[in-house]
Amino acid sequence: MMAIDCKALSADFSTRRSGTTAVLKSVQLRVMTGETFGLIGPSGCGKSTLLRILAGLHTRWRGEVSIFGQTLQPDNYPRNALLSTVQMVFQDPYASLHPRHSVGRALLEPLKVNNIPEPARRLRQALDDVGLPPSIEQRYPHQMSGGQRQRVAIARALLLRPSLLLLDEPTSALDVSVQAEILNLLNQLKARYNMTMLLVSHDAGVIAHMCDRAAVMQDGAMAQLLLREQLAIYGGT
Ligand SMILES: Nc1ncnc2c1ncn2[C@@H]1O[C@H](COP(=O)(O)OP(=O)(O)OP(=O)(O)O)[C@@H](O)[C@H]1O
Ligand SMILES: [Mg+2]
């Protein structure tokens, strides 16, 4: 089954100052179940907007979009069907974690809201999955390193055992050595939990290292599809 299928997907933003601007222009994207698909392209080309549409966070769009066969509608995201299926990890873990919530609280909340049995056990498992000790539960975002914070954000995304992970520059705020650790961790978790990943990165090396295929976006449209062999050349590996 196709994990993501977008046809003629268009989106725009309106601002008082410049009126309506097209941000996605008839985008076509097909991601197979189980693959890691990369999105690369210059700042402002629409990568985050595309991910936000897939996560139900941006609702002004037209076209045909489905995730694992579930049809999305701009004003009606199939939350019940997709809430635990699709999870997103953002570039800046500091911004995506509540500053006054401890790690334990941040991770228990989605488990409780979704009535997941044995939440304490699932919490420990999630921390273990991302290589964090149980003691990190007591910490607050400002008491952790950038890499630890991003591990917490990944642990939170994994709590509900998603089938599709949307990763928006998950390592670009991190030190190079920590970047490699997080990327390897994502690869391990992908294999362990049979996930499909859509990965946005500015870094051709990261895309080449992680992805089976990738698309180059330019000015709101898909400019080029890169297959495995082309990715190696693209990433200079
Ligand atoms: N809330 C908003 N209101 C108005 N315009 C927006 C809004 N969010 C994004 N845009 C515009 O939409 C376009 C695409 O933005 P988007 O964040 O999707 O780009 P991106 O490819 O993720 O860029 P980057 O690599 O810098 O993260 C940009 O021109 C941006 O200015
Ligand atoms: Mg972005």
Side-chain angles (χ1 to χ4, degrees):
M1 193 197 287
M2 205 74 71
I4 301 172
D5 194 358
C6 300
K7 284 190 209 90
L9 171 59
S10 299
D12 44 45
F13 280 111
S14 344
T15 51
R16 218 174 280 166
R17 205 143 164 264
S18 45
T20 302
T21 342
V23 172
L24 296 179
K25 302 167 186 168
S26 200
V27 165
Q28 173 150 336
L29 173 70
R30 303 180 105 188
V31 176
M32 311 294 178
T33 297
E35 83 177 324
T36 299
F37 193 98
L39 274 183
I40 194 161
S43 183
C45 71
K47 305 179 296 295
S48 295
T49 303
L50 179 53
L51 261 60
R52 290 170 55 80
I53 289 171
L54 295 171
L57 300 172
H58 182 74
T59 54
R60 282 195 54 177
W61 56 270
R62 308 171 296 286
E64 287 175 45
V65 180
S66 67
I67 297 179
F68 297 116
Q70 286 281 334
T71 305
L72 271 60
Q73 242 113 46
D75 49 2
N76 189 12
Y77 191 80
R79 290 198 189 277
N80 289 340
L82 292 183
L83 187 68
S84 54
T85 309
V86 181
Q87 290 289 321
M88 187 155 163
V89 175
F90 300 88
Q91 170 171 2
D92 178 2
Y94 210 61
S96 65
L97 297 171
H98 193 294
R100 285 188 301 277
H101 290 185
S102 67
V103 170
R105 176 167 175 194
L107 296 187
L108 276 175
E109 216 156 63
L111 291 170
K112 288 193 173 150
V113 168
N114 291 283
N115 291 315
I116 306 293
E118 298 186 79
R121 194 186 56 80
R122 283 287 280 270
L123 166 60
R124 277 197 308 277
Q125 171 73 50
L127 290 175
D128 188 57
D129 276 345
V130 297
L132 291 173
S135 58
I136 208 100
E137 257 186 69
Q138 326 299 332
R139 301 270 185 99
Y140 289 83
H142 69 275
Q143 297 171 324
M144 295 184 286
S145 70
Q148 286 172 329
R149 277 196 291 270
Q150 195 57 304
R151 283 172 196 265
V152 170
I154 293 169
R156 188 178 54 179
L158 291 178
L159 281 172
L160 302 177
R161 299 281 152 80
S163 307
L164 174 62
L165 259 195
L166 304 170
L167 303 158
D168 196 355
E169 306 260 10
T171 59
S172 56
L174 306 173
D175 203 76
V176 181
S177 62
V178 183
Q179 253 184 42
E181 278 174 30
I182 299 281
L183 293 174
N184 290 334
L185 172 69
L186 285 168
N187 271 337
Q188 282 166 23
L189 294 169
K190 184 198 163 193
R192 187 178 309 157
Y193 294 124
N194 288 317
M195 290 186 288
T196 303
M197 301 201 299
L198 180 57
L199 170 69
V200 169
S201 178
H202 276 114
D203 186 329
V206 168
I207 295 282
H209 174 66
M210 296 289 287
C211 300
D212 303 300
R213 297 189 301 154
V216 183
M217 280 183 80
Q218 207 156 22
D219 196 18
M222 292 298 175
Q224 198 187 353
L225 182 69
L226 299 167
L227 306 178
R228 185 71 247 166
E229 313 78 69
Q230 296 159 305
L231 275 178
I233 300 164
Y234 194 79
T237 51

